[in-house]
Amino acid sequence: MAERPVFIPSVDTPGFVKVVSFGIPWASGFAPVQKQKNVKSLHAAAAAGGYAPLLEISTKSEEKAGRHLSAFHLKVQSQLGEIPLENAFQGSKVFEHGGPYTDLYLTDPRSAKRDPRLQESGRLVAFEFEGSEFPLQPTTVFYDWLYLNAIFPHRAWLKDRIDGQVKYAGFTDIEFNPNKSVNCQARSCALFVALMRANLLEKVMTSAETFLKTMTEQSRRRAVRVEHSGQLHF
């Protein structure tokens, strides 16, 4: 068994995203078919809890929109042109004893993530990108900013695909383990949809400062509550 989250766009929830976790039987292995079994189990558990339909946001998604929204495919506009989201995230880290290592913007994503300086520069203290500084709180605010910037130019296409005739109740990323990671592309996608539904998307995307101010005020209202469902047995 394993517990995995579903991210629900919620205009009334602090941070705009409600997180609901479900216990599911876990199919181990790295084959795509095993990953898709887990996706189906999670979506079935969520549907039993009243959350359907859902969209898997990853390269393992069976939906075109879900694959296109995977951070693996996304690029962020910068002063150097378009760069992979992963490079922007890793190269913008500021540590006690170094960074940001902006040369990582121009390498490949795998090399950027594995650069030894990211482990040898002490404690992470902030992020800095394109002249804007992001603190470590709210915890996902910088990753969210990058993700939203990458998909914002495609908002009309996205509104039609994920909030039009098919209005998704939530989003998942079967690769995301909340015990090992903080940032999640499915969470960022849920935030995008919530901001769109609240008619705040255009406003918050005017600048990094506006986005940070909005998300900080939202997160201070109270911590996002994580609900745990009962385990689903097959």
Side-chain angles (χ1 to χ4, degrees), residues 2-67:
E3 191 170 88
R4 290 294 183 266
V6 174
F7 299 94
I8 314 296
S10 178
V11 173
D12 298 324
T13 297
F16 297 108
V17 178
K18 179 181 179 181
V19 186
V20 185
S21 293
F22 294 91
I24 61 171
W26 190 255
S28 60
F30 296 100
V33 65
Q34 297 296 91
K35 303 288 187 181
Q36 288 170 355
K37 283 182 182 178
N38 292 328
V39 171
K40 290 177 181 178
S41 292
L42 178 55
H43 288 198
Y51 299 102
L54 302 180
L55 179 65
E56 168 71 9
I57 305 294
S58 75
T59 57
K60 307 302 186 296
S61 180
E62 294 185 342
E63 301 293 333
K64 180 180 179 180
R67 294 191 297 273

Side-chain angles (χ1 to χ4, degrees), residues 158-178:
L158 289 170
K159 182 173 179 59
D160 181 57
R161 298 313 189 277
I162 66 176
D163 201 41
Q165 289 185 342
V166 178
K167 201 176 187 72
Y168 288 102
F171 303 90
T172 62
D173 175 6
I174 205 62
E175 302 282 5
F176 176 69
N177 185 340

Side-chain angles (χ1 to χ4, degrees), residues 29-219:
F30 296 100
V33 65
Q34 297 296 91
K35 303 288 187 181
Q36 288 170 355
K37 283 182 182 178
N38 292 328
V39 171
K40 290 177 181 178
S41 292
L42 178 55
H43 288 198
Y51 299 102
L54 302 180
L55 179 65
E56 168 71 9
I57 305 294
S58 75
T59 57
K60 307 302 186 296
S61 180
E62 294 185 342
E63 301 293 333
K64 180 180 179 180
R67 294 191 297 273
H68 281 198
L69 285 165
S70 168
F72 179 81
H73 295 294
L74 298 181
K75 293 189 176 181
V76 178
Q77 187 63 45
S78 75
Q79 295 173 0
L80 300 173
E82 288 189 336
I83 59 176
L85 188 153
E86 184 68 33
N87 293 59
F89 183 74
Q90 301 297 341
S92 299
K93 290 180 175 179
V94 180
F95 300 91
E96 290 177 297
H97 310 301
Y101 300 116
T102 55
D103 57 295
L104 297 181
Y105 293 164
L106 300 179
T107 187
D108 65 277
R110 180 171 295 183
S111 296
K113 192 172 184 178
R114 295 180 176 179
D115 191 285
R117 292 173 295 178
L118 302 179
Q119 305 299 325
E120 299 169 354
S121 300
R123 181 174 57 89
L124 180 68
V125 296
F127 295 91
E128 186 178 309
F129 182 71
E130 302 286 292
S132 296
E133 184 171 311
F134 290 79
L136 300 184
Q137 297 291 332
T139 53
T140 66
V141 70
F142 179 60
Y143 184 88
D144 289 337
W145 170 249
L146 292 179
Y147 188 94
L148 265 63
N149 263 277
I151 67 175
F152 183 69
H154 313 288
R155 57 195 179 279
W157 184 88
L158 289 170
K159 182 173 179 59
D160 181 57
R161 298 313 189 277
I162 66 176
D163 201 41
Q165 289 185 342
V166 178
K167 201 176 187 72
Y168 288 102
F171 303 90
T172 62
D173 175 6
I174 205 62
E175 302 282 5
F176 176 69
N177 185 340
N179 295 321
K180 296 181 178 180
S181 305
V182 173
N183 299 294
C184 178
Q185 56 197 2
R187 185 197 182 284
S188 298
C189 186
L191 171 61
F192 180 87
V193 172
L195 290 170
M196 191 161 51
R197 291 176 181 173
N199 294 316
L200 289 172
L201 183 63
E202 301 284 341
K203 175 185 175 181
V204 301
M205 296 305 294
T206 56
S207 70
E209 290 71 26
T210 300
F211 178 76
L212 179 59
K213 182 175 183 293
T214 300
M215 297 310 299
T216 299
E217 290 175 349
Q218 280 289 316
S219 67

